[in-house]
Structures are given as C-alpha cells and as structure tokens.
Amino acid sequence: MSSDDTWSIGELAERAGTTVKTVRFYSDRGLLPEARRSTGGHRRYGPEALDRLRLIRSLRTLDLPVPDVGRVLGREDAPDGAADGVLDGVLEDVIAERLREIGSRMAALRWREAALQLLRDCPAGERADRLLLIGSISTPPSTASLVRFWRAWIPRRLPARLASAIVDQAVPPPPEDPTPAQVLAFARLHAFVSGDCNGADNRPAVHRPEEGYRPAVLYDGLIEAYALASAELRAGSPARPGEALDCFVSAYAHSRGTPDTPAFRRLLGGQLAADPRIDHYWGLVAELISPPSGPPEPTAGSAHAWLSAALDADTAREAA
C-alpha cells in the first residue's frame, strides 16, 4: 500500500485473488469506485474496495447478472443505519428472481429430457410423427391453447369467478418432472384442442343456451357435484345414488327452474349422451395428472361419467 493508504489496480487484484482485467471490468461499470487517481492518471483504491470486490465476486458466484449486482450494491450505499436492512431486502428480491429463472430453466430441461427419452424409446416407425407432435409444444409447455379451447367451449356471459373456476378445473398444470408418457399426453392434448373440434357448437345439447337454461346455476352446481363424485372415485366406490348424484341432478333441475323428480331424472338420463371428443380430452388429462403407478387421478370427465352411470342405476331401480 502506498503512503496515502491506497492501492493500485494491480495491488487490489492481487489481494483479492483475481485479475487486473476483472477489477477494471467492475470499475468501468461503476461497481467498484476509485478512491482517487494518481498524478499519472492511474486508478487508486482504498481498503474498502477490497471488501466491495469480495462482495461483488460472491454475488457473481451465484450467477447474478451484473445489473442485479449493481442493484444490490446501490442499496449498500444507502445512508448509515439503513444499509443493512435495505441490502437484505434487495438481495432477497434478487435471489427470488434468480430462483424463479433457474426453476424455469430446470423445468424446460426436464421436459426436454423426457421428450428425448420418448423419441428414443418409441418404435422407429412412429418417431417422425411423434417428433412433429412434440415439436409443436414449448418447453416447459404452455397451457394457453387449452385455456382458449375451454374459454370458447363454456357459455358466454358467465360470471368471471365461475368461468375461471371451470377453466382451472379443466386445464391441468403440466407436471414439473414429467415422464415420457406425460409428455406425449400433453402433446396430444395440445394437438386435440388446436384442431377443428373446439367451440361452442360442440357443447352437448343440454349445455347449449338455446335449450333454455341458466348456465351459471348449472356450472356452479356441477363443480360441487364433480368434487363429491371425485371423492367417491378415490374411494373406489361404484356408481350409486347418494349425495353426489343428488347434487348433480339438482344442478340441472335448478338451472331449468324445474323440480328434481323421477320423471326429470329419466329425461336427464336420456339427454346426457356420451361425447367421444370430450371423453378423449379427459382421458388424456388423466394420463397427464396421474402418477406413473397407481389408480388414475379423478377428472371432471371421469366424475361426470360416474355420475351419469349413477343416474342410470337410479332410474333403472325406480323403473323396476
């Protein structure tokens, strides 16, 4: 150190265990202020620069971009008494941002790995078609196409709360660590909803506005009925009359302003025809959200099928 207690750029670099080029880089970007310039115009640094440089290098070790390092160091220069708290707050925000970015990159890598495993293990004759199928989705995948499908499918003018609840129930979040089979299921879902089968004209007749019903009442009740039926499915219960079926029928009856009677149940049972297109959608959803081993996870589709079967059993019992 010189007689005025400052270091040259080379002395600072040596004490910090880094290179002159690194010190100059951070100095040029305003992260490492100089104490002064020598008479020859050379940079001189005070002892505080060593601690500052060590902090910079620690932040960079975490792969923080230089602008984020500047944000943290800018707060470090806050007035005495406030610096530590402000520094901690900014650093916490920066770390959270980096964790989100890293999490997104890792999710993308896991999806790419599963997609590559799917292509590697599939029969050679299917590889080209599967490559095109998988290549149509991003990594990690976006559910935007599924959301658009259901926004077009559900009736217009539903309350925003209810429309969002329906979409949330119908659009499965992609698994963070997918299996190859789940990658394939999501790719097929994307292809299905991106085809020509979407839109309001594909709703079953009992869900169309021209049938004269109050859709908000119906869908509000169906969400509750599907939740009850899902509990029955998880318990392995056969389709049967009970609270779930009563809630299901009540949703349709109240939406039409008619009482729940045996005659209405027979009428409703005849109107709830299966829709192979939507059944296909829910089958793919079950593949996507179910664990690799164990029973399928219930979906709104499987709950609806259970309730329809329970209704058939109930009307058959009444007729006997």
Side-chain angles (χ1 to χ4, degrees):
M1 182 172 288
S2 67
S3 58
D4 63 354
D5 294 332
T6 60
W7 294 313
S8 69
I9 191 170
E11 290 170 332
L12 177 59
E14 183 178 359
R15 287 175 178 272
T18 187
T19 64
V20 169
K21 181 179 180 181
T22 298
V23 176
R24 183 176 292 112
F25 174 84
Y26 294 133
S27 292
D28 290 344
R29 279 153 183 77
L31 301 181
L32 195 61
E34 307 160 13
R36 66 177 183 83
R37 289 271 177 157
S38 69
T39 54
H42 300 293
R43 308 178 200 219
R44 306 295 299 183
Y45 299 90
E48 68 282 355
L50 182 58
D51 291 335
R52 177 95 163 194
L53 184 55
R54 285 171 175 163
L55 177 58
I56 293 171
R57 296 185 68 199
S58 296
L59 293 170
R60 292 290 289 152
T61 298
L62 297 175
D63 199 29
L64 296 186
V66 171
D68 285 343
V69 173
R71 286 171 55 197
V72 174
L73 293 178
R75 294 302 184 177
E76 188 196 29
D77 293 332
D80 290 344
D84 289 344
V86 176
L87 172 60
D88 286 344
V90 175
L91 183 56
E92 184 176 349
D93 291 344
V94 169
I95 289 172
E97 290 173 12
R98 293 298 295 155
L99 285 173
R100 284 192 292 270
E101 292 172 12
I102 291 171
S104 180
R105 290 205 303 265
M106 291 179 67
L109 288 173
R110 286 191 290 265
W111 271 82
R112 288 170 188 162
E113 179 183 33
L116 289 169
Q117 290 171 344
L118 175 66
L119 293 172
R120 179 195 64 193
D121 298 337
C122 75
E126 300 177 13
R127 193 162 289 139
D129 289 340
R130 288 196 177 180
L131 177 59
L132 292 175
L133 192 64
I134 294 169
S136 67
I137 61 174
S138 59
T139 54
S142 168
T143 58
S145 60
L146 280 67
V147 171
R148 284 194 299 270
F149 171 83
W150 284 101
R151 289 287 181 183
W153 197 91
I154 61 179
R156 294 181 176 85
R157 296 185 297 278
L158 281 180
R161 168 198 60 81
L162 184 55
S164 295
I166 294 169
V167 172
D168 287 346
Q169 187 178 68
V171 176
E176 293 183 0
D177 191 7
T179 63
Q182 288 173 320
V183 169
L184 182 59
F186 188 90
R188 286 173 169 165
L189 268 177
H190 173 76
F192 173 77
V193 301
S194 301
D196 298 327
C197 63
N198 55 46
D201 290 341
N202 289 295
R203 288 197 298 268
V206 291
H207 289 242
R208 292 178 188 167
E210 60 267 25
E211 296 300 318
Y213 78 110
R214 293 178 292 168
V217 174
L218 174 61
Y219 283 90
D220 220 359
L222 288 181
I223 289 175
E224 182 180 356
Y226 291 162
L228 292 170
S230 293
E232 297 276 9
L233 284 164
R234 289 191 178 93
S237 303
R240 60 188 180 183
E243 181 184 8
L245 178 60
D246 291 345
C247 182
F248 181 66
V249 175
S250 177
Y252 281 100
H254 288 170
S255 72
R256 301 181 187 186
T258 189
D260 176 2
T261 64
F264 177 77
R265 292 195 172 204
R266 288 193 297 272
L267 174 66
L268 179 61
Q271 293 176 332
L272 293 177
D275 187 337
R277 298 159 303 175
I278 299 301
D279 289 346
H280 177 63
Y281 177 94
W282 289 116
L284 291 172
V285 169
E287 291 181 36
L288 183 66
I289 67 175
S290 299
S293 59
E297 185 69 16
T299 67
S302 61
H304 185 89
W306 189 95
L307 290 162
S308 296
L311 179 59
D312 289 343
D314 184 55
T315 53
R317 184 191 64 179
E318 289 289 335

